[in-house]
Amino acid sequence: MSFNKFSSACARIGLGAAALLAPVVAFAQEAAPAVAEAAAAAPVADKGDTAFMFLSTLLVLFMIIPGLALFYGGLVRTKNMLSVLMQTTVIACTVMIIWVVYGYSFAFGGSTNPFFGGTAKMFLAGITPDSTAATFSDAVIPEYIFMLFQMTFAAITPALIIGAYAERIKFGASVLFCALWVTFVYFPVAHMVWDANGFLFGLGALDFAGGTVVHINAGVAGLIGAIMVGKRIGFGKDMMAPHSLTLSMVGAAMLWFGWFGFNAGSNLEATGGAMLATVNTFVATAAATLSWSLVEKIVRGKASMLGAISGMVAGLVAVTPAAGIAGPMGAIVLGALVSPLCFFFVSVVKNKFGYDDTADVFGVHGVGGMFGAVGTGVLASASLGGIGYGEGVTMGHQVYVQIVAVLTTIAWTGIGSVILYKVTDLIIGLRVTPEAEREGLDLSSHGEAAYHS
């Protein structure tokens, strides 16, 4: 073939190829702007919000270990110190694994069911470093950090329960009950309150950081546990004072410190709303601490360290549902009023009915959570310095919705807890033997002692 013929053939081939590729090129040219537009429209997590939520998540972990563990540990007798530390640690770790396997999906799995989040995100299916979760504005955060932040809430809530039946429950029974409880009680309540498809969310219930989901939920379960497990041997006769208020004070201080992650982090982004929650967490807690001390001085003649840290926790509990909703003056009022109420329950009501709530889980978390949840409906009013209600919503209607949320939570956790304590009792048995209880759970359950002389 001559060079001219070869060149002519190549030209014909080239023109043919160009003709064949022309539609493809045209499609690519038309599609390129659409692809670029889609890429530009894809939500990108803000690095500042991500860092803020990372820190908040670690602060809530700090609340559990060592904060809650030391707070409860100091409130029991020396021979049961390690048992409380072990229960707190192992229960938290158990719930963390449950959360990533199915808990996150059950709470936030995208289901339209008002009571159940679904199974779509079991084993964290579909969650990648690029997937995002919505906040309260147009911003987004990585779904991984949202998942982890909510995991710490799930981990601390059942750990709160153990303070009610401390010093007499079997270690395995405590862990099993809490695993069942988060599955059938906590996850549904979290979905109802915090998921956009949830029953109470749909009603318009306000719970900024967990008054219903965490504190009422755990407080009622704790009361039922204290009754069903039974009183400690010697309750009302033997000396059962806290063995180390020093450690309890350290634990309470850690709780207050970590609670800023709990409350401010529930804003999901580093904005003025998070700072409002921070201010309220400061002032409500301070007011409640002073209020409890004042009540003790009036009633008993002396203000105690136990009372001060009890007031501290009561203030933290009460402000939790209102943290990003009430104004600072409203938060001070909330803190000042919750302590006398909780003091009445732990010093009068508990003695009247004779139940043995070791660390006053119901009296502080349950009662304080109820008061805070209902109070949020009042203090949300813009006329009282709050962020205001939705369009057409009155204070009376909001308070009604808050009461419905409180009663729904009490009913769900109350019925569920009774059933799950009974199931645990049938499988393992709830209570240690009298001999083991007298010896102390540290040695009888774990073969260790917290202190050595």
Side-chain angles (χ1 to χ4, degrees):
M1 181 183 292
S2 67
F3 176 77
N4 289 336
K5 289 182 178 179
F6 177 76
S7 298
S8 179
C10 286
R12 288 195 301 272
I13 294 172
L15 289 171
L20 289 172
L21 291 175
V24 178
V25 173
F27 174 78
Q29 290 174 337
E30 292 175 2
V35 172
E37 184 179 348
V44 177
D46 182 85
K47 292 181 180 179
D49 291 340
T50 302
F52 170 69
M53 291 306 300
F54 174 70
L55 177 60
S56 296
T57 300
L58 297 185
L59 284 172
V60 182
L61 174 62
F62 187 71
M63 288 175 67
I64 312 170
I65 306 169
L68 182 64
L70 290 177
F71 178 69
Y72 277 171
L75 294 178
V76 300
R77 289 169 288 180
T78 304
K79 63 183 180 179
N80 296 309
M81 170 66 166
L82 285 182
S83 71
V84 171
L85 301 184
M86 272 293 288
Q87 287 180 57
T88 306
T89 302
V90 173
I91 286 168
C93 293
T94 300
V95 175
M96 290 176 192
I97 300 302
I98 290 173
W99 181 257
V100 298
V101 173
Y102 63 82
Y104 179 63
S105 187
F106 283 13
F108 300 101
S111 167
T112 57
N113 187 298
F115 304 101
F116 179 61
T119 60
K121 294 187 178 182
M122 287 181 64
F123 304 99
L124 303 186
I127 304 177
T128 71
D130 297 322
S131 59
T132 58
T135 64
F136 296 109
S137 68
D138 293 333
V140 295
I141 54 176
E143 190 170 8
Y144 270 136
I145 196 60
F146 175 76
M147 180 274 295
L148 287 175
F149 182 66
Q150 290 293 339
M151 181 189 75
T152 58
F153 277 62
I156 196 173
T157 305
L160 290 172
I161 299 172
I162 70 175
Y165 51 59
E167 299 197 291
R168 71 269 203 194
I169 196 169
K170 291 181 179 178
F171 175 68
S174 183
V175 175
L176 175 60
F177 168 77
C178 288
L180 294 171
W181 187 84
V182 293
T183 301
F184 296 103
V185 176
Y186 180 86
F187 300 154
V189 174
H191 177 76
M192 282 191 278
V193 175
W194 285 333
D195 190 88
N197 296 307
F199 168 65
L200 294 173
F201 186 97
L203 291 181
L206 300 175
D207 188 353
F208 192 77
T212 51
V213 180
V214 177
H215 298 293
I216 298 174
N217 218 2
V220 173
L223 174 63
I224 293 170
I227 295 170
M228 293 187 69
V229 176
K231 302 175 185 178
R232 288 168 288 177
I233 295 174
F235 178 72
K237 300 177 182 178
D238 298 343
M239 175 62 69
M240 294 184 176
H243 89 277
S244 178
L245 284 175
T246 302
L247 287 178
S248 289
M249 169 57 193
V250 171
M254 291 175 172
L255 284 170
W256 192 354
F257 178 73
W259 221 291
F260 289 107
F262 201 79
N263 284 355
S266 292
N267 193 64
L268 301 181
E269 47 190 336
T271 64
M275 296 308 100
L276 172 62
T278 300
V279 172
N280 288 343
T281 304
F282 267 116
V283 298
T285 310
T289 304
L290 295 175
S291 178
W292 196 299
S293 297
L294 179 61
V295 169
E296 277 198 325
K297 177 65 177 176
I298 294 171
V299 174
R300 296 177 176 173
K302 295 179 181 179
S304 70
M305 186 75 257
L306 177 59
I309 59 177
S310 297
M312 188 182 298
V313 175
L316 291 166
V317 169
V319 79
T320 291
I325 297 171
M329 297 304 107
I332 291 174
V333 172
L334 198 67
L337 294 180
V338 72
S339 283
L341 179 63
C342 291
F343 177 85
F344 175 73
F345 268 83
V346 303
S347 62
V348 177
V349 175
K350 185 171 79 167
N351 292 333
K352 173 69 174 178
F353 289 95
Y355 58 86
D356 183 12
D357 182 350
T358 307
D360 291 316
V361 176
F362 177 72
V364 174
H365 292 275
V367 174
M370 294 175 202
F371 179 75
V374 176
T376 299
V378 176
L379 297 174
S381 172
S383 64
L384 299 176
I387 64 171
Y389 306 114
E391 186 176 352
V393 177
T394 64
M395 181 186 293
H397 175 75
Q398 190 62 58
V399 170
Y400 166 76
V401 171
Q402 297 301 106
I403 293 172
V404 170
V406 168
L407 294 177
T408 300
T409 305
I410 291 172
W412 193 283
T413 188
I415 296 170
S417 297
V418 168
I419 295 171
L420 296 175
Y421 278 118
K422 189 61 180 177
V423 169
T424 302
D425 192 26
L426 292 173
I427 296 173
I428 296 180
L430 289 174
R431 190 159 183 153
V432 298
T433 64
E435 294 75 20
E437 186 176 341
R438 291 191 179 94
E439 181 183 20
L441 303 190
D442 289 2
L443 289 173
S444 63
S445 296
H446 306 291
E448 299 175 302
Y451 308 100
H452 298 278
S453 55

